[in-house]
Amino acid sequence: MTIAAGLGDGKIVVYSTSDWESLWTLEGHRSRVLILVYSPDGNQIASGNHDSTIRLWDIRTGVHNLTLAGHGGSVNDVSYSPRGDRVASASDDLTVKLWDVQAGECRNILIGHTGRILGVVYSPNGAQIASNSDDRTVRLWDIDAGKCHHVLRGHGRSVTSVAYSLQGDQVASASHDKTVRIWDVATGECRQIFTNHSNHISSVTYSPNGDQFASNSCDMLIRLWDVNTGKCLHTLNGNNSHLARVVYSPQGDVIASASYDRTVRLWDTETGVCRRTLAGHSGRVTSVVFSPKGDQVATSSKDTTIRLWDAEAQLPRHISSGHSSRIKKVELSPGGDYIATCSATDKTVRIWDAETGICHHIFGHSEDVCSIAYSAQEDQIAIGSWDWTVRLWNSETGACTQILTGHCDAVSHVTYSPKGYQLASAGEDMTVRLWDVRSGGCTHILIGHTESARGIVYSPNGNNIVSYSIDSTIRIWDAGTGVCHHTLTDHGKCIRSVVYSPQGDQLASCNEGATVRLWDVATEECHHTIIGHNSSVQCITYSPSGDQVASGSFEGSLKVWDVKTRTCLWTMTGHTGFVSKIIYSPQGDMVVSTSSDSSVRMWDVTSGQCRAVIQDFEDQVRDIRWITTLGIDYLVAGCDDGLVGMWRVRTDEEHCHVSLQWTRTKGEFDVKDATIQGVEGLNQLDKQLLKQRGAIGEPVDQLREASEKVAPMASMASQLKTSSDCSEEGLAEGIPVKEFEQRLDQRLQQAKETLLQDVVVVFGKNIHGSK
């Protein structure tokens, strides 16, 4: 399959959709291409532009077949006959011309319009042509006779679009007079007038089966109409700017809308729900088209790019808001069915269904969230926060089961042991704590670092824990006794990352210098220092087999190293920002990197070549994970702008295809229909989730700037609920009653000040009474 793009300089570029390579650059027009149309068999393109000509091109060879010259003004529209043997063209010279494609000759000139002709279209049987004009009329022409048999008058302003029904017995016309009119082709009479739009109507199009039609307007709305009853079935509202084009999928179940707000939206024609938003263009989207099979969507934009999207991906029928600020970490459930994401500043963790992208749970802290982890049994999620606590949540019910207190500063990292019965937490207080997740008790406090502990990792067998710190040391601890076995001190600079080899016999570490060190766990010795990067190493990872180490640097390059020979196999360049994360595919044949340049790149480790680039992001990609489910590979990414998305990966010997499955963009909360204890601002899904934990109350005054206030209120409601579920003994082990009441008073006062005198009513019931 191919896609053709007309450019402002008159050139036409034809791309292959299999590898997105440019097949041909077609040159001949002297000014901007206005219209491109494929022939019915897909082998030819007809193009029209300001130079008053129509050019016919062979897509298979890139050869220019014919130039159809004769118009005295710009060619605004071109239409192939159903059989593909004729072409009709509409022009500013007030004529429609009919051309023989084989001979390249003009067979007829249709004269009658008194204004610029903006569009032309063949009837389904090819016997008629409809044309629309600035003269406020639509004309129906008999092709064989070359005569106009009906002039459709009634519009009060320019007619912008015209379309035939599937049966060819009706014509729909759209106008700047804010109306759509349905005309009887046989009699020329106006059957219906639709006046629901409040601004100019740009286009009208029938569905493939002919039972409905769509109109789009400068009022930023799309309306779907029932052809038989004339009723408005759905009003599609969600675009934030003018609509450039609206098209039906070949199956008729989806409508794609291209908007100046830089997005394309896919709408369910049966329910009127927005299934998916395709975000990635940095300029307004000028056109959208479905492939003949309906499995792909192509878009063009003022950002000078063309993007190809997978339309066959499972499209969720529900849209839930994403994080409202940058995502710090992405974690997968052990079974791969769920995705957990945490945002540093919106103070929430969200649990997503990996298949549909629907949010199942929202967990909140009173301060920024630093880290998340799944237990091996998948029944529990641990969250570390700047509120100095670790909270344990039931992953099925969404209830908080334990609050682990003891750290004297922010909890920067949490991780479960491989068996899932022990939890380790690292804090800014320079300690590592080991917890029994069944009792919630702290079993060991690991003291030794002289600066904040940056991270912790368990050995593959769970017997040891490695912690690394800003103090430039790595410490290896016995997970059972809490005793420090070894302290590795040769780095000399702040350590960024430490990873175990899959076999557990080696450690790889990187620091703020330009080196990677490989350590022998048994002997405590650094048996090799790898030097090759020209700037600080940001991240490292082992291959699944353990025979390779990949490292990413601040300068934007990746290097793949052979562990045995300690030589650099490949240096991979392409990123224009620093590399923030690298992972191997489960098979070990690819390395995936994220960068501050807002892209994800996939690299072949056998050739060192970049096989695919994902550029569907507007901000830095913070974290990424690989999922393999039922033999199908996926990537999950989280970004600084709050976006969470999943992409399917298909590979063969020659190509690597990456297609978007679902995405959740920055959360925008609707203030019309949701409350948390009197605070309006959550959508229905978030409301339902919090209601399950008893955090929903009756609405009071409307909240100003709801999206900025919901997270702290959700956290407060969650903490109230948690305290009501705790026993007296459990509360004593966690936050003391007086301290809890003081915090609550403080938060209520902050909420009152933030909400600018809006009434906030929060009921917190626990065994100590109500406040």
Side-chain angles (χ1 to χ4, degrees):
M1 192 177 78
T2 61
I3 287 177
L7 307 181
D9 60 2
K11 295 179 182 178
I12 300 169
V13 183
V14 181
Y15 298 92
S16 168
T17 59
S18 61
D19 54 12
W20 208 229
E21 292 294 325
S22 172
L23 297 177
W24 319 106
T25 298
L26 313 179
E27 300 186 29
H29 286 297
R30 297 189 300 273
S31 58
R32 183 165 67 96
V33 178
L34 299 177
I35 182 70
L36 279 178
V37 181
Y38 274 88
S39 62
D41 61 9
N43 294 328
Q44 195 177 66
I45 283 178
S47 59
N49 85 332
H50 283 308
D51 66 11
S52 308
T53 66
I54 302 101
R55 292 176 181 262
L56 305 183
W57 313 82
D58 191 309
I59 290 302
R60 296 163 296 184
T61 62
V63 173
H64 169 221
N65 289 338
L66 289 169
T67 298
L68 310 179
H71 278 297
S74 297
V75 178
N76 299 316
D77 200 10
V78 176
S79 177
Y80 272 96
S81 65
R83 291 189 299 177
D85 58 337
R86 297 282 181 95
V87 165
S89 57
S91 172
D92 279 357
D93 66 4
L94 316 187
T95 68
V96 173
K97 292 180 181 286
L98 305 183
W99 308 85
D100 186 303
V101 170
Q102 296 297 324
E105 297 177 353
C106 179
R107 297 302 189 190
N108 217 328
I109 301 176
L110 309 181
I111 300 175
H113 283 295
T114 59
R116 292 188 313 132
I117 304 175
L118 304 178
V120 62
V121 61
Y122 273 90
S123 63
N125 62 9
Q128 291 182 350
I129 281 177
S131 58
N132 56 285
S133 168
D134 268 349
D135 64 10
R136 309 178 184 182
T137 69
V138 175
R139 289 179 177 258
L140 305 183
W141 308 85
D142 184 289
I143 292 177
D144 291 334
K147 294 182 179 180
C148 176
H149 61 85
H150 288 302
V151 180
L152 312 182
R153 292 186 172 92
H155 283 297
R157 296 188 67 181
S158 173
V159 182
T160 55
S161 178
V162 65
Y164 272 97
S165 64
L166 180 66
Q167 296 76 20
D169 59 337
Q170 289 182 355
V171 164
S173 60
S175 171
H176 278 175
D177 66 6
K178 309 175 189 178
T179 69
V180 173
R181 291 175 179 254
I182 304 297
W183 310 85
D184 188 295
V185 169
T187 65
E189 295 179 354
C190 181
R191 291 184 177 180
Q192 288 177 303
I193 304 175
F194 303 91
T195 60
N196 298 58
H197 284 291
S198 61
N199 210 327
H200 301 164
I201 301 177
S202 306
S203 69
V204 62
T205 182
Y206 277 93
S207 63
N209 61 10
D211 61 348
Q212 66 176 220
F213 69 89
S215 60
N216 70 281
S217 166
C218 291
D219 61 11
M220 299 183 285
L221 300 178
I222 303 166
R223 295 184 184 272
L224 306 186
W225 308 88
D226 187 291
V227 170
N228 297 318
T229 66
K231 293 182 178 179
C232 181
L233 302 174
H234 301 291
T235 299
L236 313 183
N237 185 3
N239 296 287
N240 300 316
S241 189
H242 296 310
L243 296 164
R245 193 176 183 194
V246 172
V247 293
Y248 277 93
S249 66
Q251 296 77 20
D253 59 334
V254 176
I255 278 181
S257 62
S259 173
Y260 284 9
D261 67 7
R262 302 183 295 177
T263 67
V264 172
R265 286 176 167 81
L266 304 183
W267 307 85
D268 189 299
T269 58
E270 182 180 352
T271 64
V273 171
C274 180
R275 292 187 180 186
R276 187 166 148 203
T277 300
L278 309 180
H281 282 296
S282 59
R284 68 188 189 187
V285 183
T286 55
S287 186
V288 59
V289 63
F290 279 94
S291 64
K293 295 181 180 179
D295 58 338
Q296 292 178 330
V297 175
T299 60
S300 63
S301 169
K302 284 287 187 180
D303 64 9
T304 71
T305 68
I306 300 167
R307 290 177 181 254
L308 189 64
W309 313 80
D310 190 348
E312 278 191 330
Q314 293 193 11
L315 306 179
R317 293 180 180 265
H318 304 282
I319 297 296
S320 54
S321 297
H323 289 285
S324 60
S325 58
R326 75 179 180 91
I327 293 171
K328 187 170 184 178
K329 195 169 181 62
V330 176
E331 284 292 339
L332 304 178
S333 64
D337 297 326
Y338 296 99
I339 300 161
T341 57
C342 72
S343 173
T345 52
D346 77 2
K347 305 171 186 176
T348 67
V349 171
R350 292 174 183 250
I351 309 301
W352 312 86
D353 187 293
E355 182 179 2
T356 66
I358 294 174
C359 180
H360 285 284
H361 294 298
I362 304 172
F363 307 137
H365 271 266
S366 58
E367 300 293 344
D368 293 0
V369 176
C370 301
S371 181
I372 50 174
Y374 261 102
S375 67
Q377 293 76 19
E378 204 169 322
D379 60 340
Q380 198 175 73
I381 295 172
I383 305 174
S385 168
W386 275 89
D387 64 8
W388 304 4
T389 69
V390 177
R391 291 173 184 260
L392 306 184
W393 303 81
N394 186 297
S395 60
E396 182 176 352
T397 66
C400 181
T401 58
Q402 298 276 358
I403 300 177
L404 312 181
T405 61
H407 281 289
C408 300
D409 208 330
V411 181
S412 57
H413 196 86
V414 292
T415 185
Y416 281 92
S417 65
K419 294 182 179 179
Y421 300 119
Q422 188 181 68
L423 178 77
S425 61
E428 297 289 317
D429 60 3
M430 302 180 288
T431 69
V432 174
R433 289 177 178 260
L434 306 185
W435 310 86
D436 186 312
V437 298
R438 291 163 291 191
S439 66
C442 179
T443 58
H444 298 288
I445 302 176
L446 313 184
I447 300 174
H449 286 297
T450 58
E451 296 286 349
S452 300
R454 226 175 179 177
I456 42 179
V457 58
Y458 274 91
S459 62
N461 60 13
N463 294 334
N464 292 322
I465 295 173
V466 168
S467 61
Y468 53 98
S469 169
I470 296 175
D471 65 10
S472 306
T473 67
I474 301 169
R475 291 179 178 265
I476 302 176
W477 312 81
D478 187 292
T481 64
V483 173
C484 181
H485 289 313
H486 308 299
T487 301
L488 313 179
T489 59
D490 290 345
H491 256 301
K493 289 190 177 182
C494 175
I495 298 170
R496 289 193 173 274
S497 182
V498 176
V499 290
Y500 262 103
S501 65
Q503 297 77 17
D505 58 339
Q506 282 186 354
L507 287 172
S509 62
C510 64
N511 68 356
E512 292 184 349
T515 63
V516 174
R517 282 178 163 79
L518 303 182
W519 307 83
D520 187 296
V521 172
T523 64
E524 322 176 28
E525 294 180 354
C526 174
H527 59 76
H528 194 67
T529 299
I530 300 175
I531 301 174
H533 286 290
N534 296 322
S535 60
S536 64
V537 180
Q538 303 289 298
C539 48
I540 51 172
T541 187
Y542 273 95
S543 64
S545 62
D547 61 340
Q548 293 178 356
V549 167
S551 56
S553 75
F554 189 81
E555 66 189 3
S557 68
L558 287 80
K559 290 182 181 288
V560 176
W561 311 87
D562 186 291
V563 172
K564 290 184 179 179
T565 63
R566 300 158 189 171
T567 57
C568 180
L569 301 176
W570 304 107
T571 298
M572 303 164 176
T573 59
H575 284 300
T576 57
F578 68 83
V579 179
S580 54
K581 180 82 175 185
I582 48 177
I583 59 172
Y584 271 89
S585 64
Q587 299 79 17
D589 58 339
M590 282 197 291
V591 169
V592 183
S593 59
T594 69
S595 170
S596 60
D597 65 8
S598 307
S599 73
V600 173
R601 289 180 176 263
M602 305 180 68
W603 311 84
D604 190 314
V605 297
T606 59
S607 66
Q609 298 299 310
C610 180
R611 299 198 64 186
V613 182
I614 308 175
Q615 293 179 309
D616 299 332
F617 315 101
E618 295 184 6
D619 212 331
Q620 178 181 338
V621 185
R622 180 64 58 173
D623 202 2
I624 195 162
R625 292 289 185 272
W626 190 297
I627 304 177
T628 300
T629 303
L630 300 176
I632 302 175
D633 294 322
Y634 301 95
L635 287 173
V636 179
C639 303
D640 271 2
D641 60 5
L643 180 143
V644 181
M646 187 166 84
W647 289 258
R648 182 174 178 179
V649 180
R650 301 181 182 94
T651 58
D652 53 39
E653 292 182 358
E654 297 182 358
H655 305 296
C656 177
H657 303 281
V658 182
S659 55
L660 182 67
Q661 292 291 102
W662 55 261
T663 184
R664 293 293 171 267
T665 55
K666 182 174 179 178
E668 297 294 339
F669 294 104
D670 186 358
V671 300
K672 294 180 180 178
D673 187 25
T675 62
I676 298 181
Q677 298 295 66
V679 180
E680 299 189 2
L682 287 184
N683 61 32
Q684 287 289 354
L685 176 62
D686 295 348
K687 178 180 177 181
Q688 182 180 1
L689 294 173
L690 285 166
K691 191 172 184 179
Q692 292 173 359
R693 298 197 288 279
I696 298 295
E698 294 301 319
V700 285
D701 293 349
Q702 189 174 27
L703 175 68
R704 300 181 181 91
E705 299 177 350
S707 62
E708 297 179 7
K709 282 72 172 187
V710 168
M713 296 306 296
S715 174
M716 181 165 58
S718 175
Q719 189 170 14
L720 286 168
K721 175 59 180 169
T722 300
S723 66
S724 67
D725 292 339
C726 291
S727 65
E728 185 167 0
E729 292 78 13
L731 187 61
E733 291 178 2
I735 304 174
V737 178
K738 284 189 176 181
E739 183 181 344
F740 176 82
E741 290 180 352
Q742 289 172 356
R743 289 189 187 183
L744 179 56
D745 280 334
Q746 185 179 11
R747 287 197 188 92
L748 286 172
Q749 184 61 33
Q750 291 172 348
K752 183 191 296 184
E753 294 171 357
T754 305
L755 296 175
L756 303 175
Q757 309 309 316
D758 283 346
V759 180
V760 180
V761 181
V762 180
F763 293 99
K765 296 183 179 179
N766 54 51
I767 57 171
H768 300 286
S770 301
K771 187 164 182 72

